[in-house]
Amino acid sequence: MEDYVKKTIVVGVVSWASTFVVVRRIFPKRSFDFCNRVVSTIHATLAVTLASLSVEDWRCPICPMASKSSPLQMQVLAVSLSYLIYDLACCHFDERVNLDNTIHHLVSIVGLGAGLCYQKCGSEMVATIWITEISSPFLHLRELLKELGYRDTLINLAADILFAAIFTFARMLIGPFITYATLSANNPLLIKAMGLSLQLVSAFWFFKIVRMVKHKLTKRTTSKNGIKQANIKRKSTNSKLRHS
């Protein structure tokens, strides 16, 4: 691994931790999770921007395949790796430790670390960062809205649906194509294994998201029907009282 990559990772971990401390000071009354999600949103926005800037040819965003990573691609991978290391540690300071999230972080860390060590597969890995982070701001937005008092509102439902739609498009339509391309190309076995593992994790999250959206829509429909029936009953009662 190049020295500038190691420095980027170290500086990145310190920078993300410092950003979290600053956010905690700005929002002292908000929860640990709220502040961490603000940092995560900053990273997602930065990662998508850097990944987009590193694309050499938009006619084929994952070209050249199985090739030596460019310095810009290495920096993109290093920035995201530093964030994942920070976030994995930060999540374990919270009261709730999510096993699914921990596995996702570990798979991503090993995959990015392998890419940086081999200095290969930069195009495919940067594309993977793009599709995995493009939906993240909306993932965090839906949780931020809940803490801000917008739970079970139309704006929160809109954030849920928008997140689910972008996640499905990126990870379940584009994702399998990138996974197939990575497995088909002459890439190291470890990178292929991590690419496949990440796609399987994405599929697992996809089914959970489908259940979540279905539950939200069913709950909202049931709530509307309940309110409608209550109004009909109230009108019927008032009518009877007027004629009695």
Side-chain angles (χ1 to χ4, degrees):
M1 190 180 293
E2 299 287 343
D3 287 338
Y4 77 91
V5 173
K6 294 178 182 177
K7 290 179 181 178
T8 301
I9 295 172
V10 173
V11 172
V13 172
V14 174
S15 298
W16 292 120
S18 300
T19 303
F20 174 78
V21 172
V22 172
V23 173
R24 285 287 279 177
R25 289 185 176 275
I26 295 174
F27 302 106
K29 296 183 180 180
R30 295 301 173 186
S31 67
F32 184 99
D33 182 67
F34 182 95
C35 296
N36 190 36
R37 288 185 182 278
V38 171
V39 178
S40 299
T41 302
I42 295 172
H43 164 259
T45 305
L46 179 62
V48 171
T49 302
L50 292 176
S52 300
L53 292 174
S54 72
V55 175
E56 297 181 7
D57 185 358
W58 277 100
R59 290 173 297 181
C60 181
I62 60 173
C63 296
M65 295 178 58
S67 61
K68 182 177 175 61
S69 303
S70 68
L72 183 54
Q73 289 172 339
M74 295 280 281
Q75 288 183 329
V76 174
L77 299 179
V79 168
S80 284
L81 178 58
S82 68
Y83 163 76
L84 288 168
I85 294 172
Y86 145 79
D87 196 44
L88 179 62
C90 193
C91 288
H92 284 78
F93 283 100
D94 197 2
E95 296 178 357
R96 298 172 297 175
V97 179
N98 191 313
L99 181 61
D100 299 340
N101 196 38
T102 299
I103 294 174
H104 176 266
H105 277 64
L106 290 174
V107 170
S108 300
I109 287 172
V110 172
L112 292 178
L116 289 170
C117 289
Y118 286 116
Q119 299 182 30
K120 195 175 181 181
C121 196
S123 299
E124 297 96 312
M125 297 191 75
V126 166
T128 300
I129 288 176
W130 193 91
I131 66 166
T132 55
E133 294 299 338
I134 191 68
S135 61
S136 293
F138 303 97
L139 165 66
H140 301 305
L141 175 62
R142 52 192 294 273
E143 297 300 329
L144 296 176
L145 287 171
K146 290 177 184 178
E147 186 161 338
L148 291 172
Y150 293 95
R151 181 187 293 271
D152 296 330
T153 62
L154 277 176
I155 189 172
N156 187 240
L157 180 63
D160 286 339
I161 294 175
L162 194 56
F163 162 66
I166 295 174
F167 183 99
T168 301
F169 173 75
R171 297 213 192 187
M172 302 311 296
L173 295 179
I174 301 177
F177 170 73
I178 295 177
T179 302
Y180 174 77
T182 302
L183 295 176
S184 302
N186 185 27
N187 289 310
L189 182 60
L190 181 58
I191 290 180
K192 289 184 178 182
M194 290 303 102
L196 180 60
S197 299
L198 184 60
Q199 184 57 47
L200 292 175
V201 170
S202 295
F204 170 75
W205 280 106
F206 170 71
F207 286 111
K208 293 189 72 172
I209 290 168
V210 170
R211 290 174 58 188
M212 177 271 294
V213 173
K214 183 179 179 181
H215 171 72
K216 285 287 186 75
L217 293 175
T218 302
K219 181 180 178 181
R220 189 166 188 83
T221 301
T222 303
S223 178
K224 282 185 175 180
N225 290 337
I227 293 173
K228 187 176 181 180
Q229 290 177 358
N231 288 335
I232 293 173
K233 186 176 181 180
R234 179 173 53 82
K235 289 179 180 179
S236 177
T237 302
N238 291 338
S239 179
K240 289 179 179 178
L241 289 174
R242 283 195 299 267
H243 290 85
S244 60

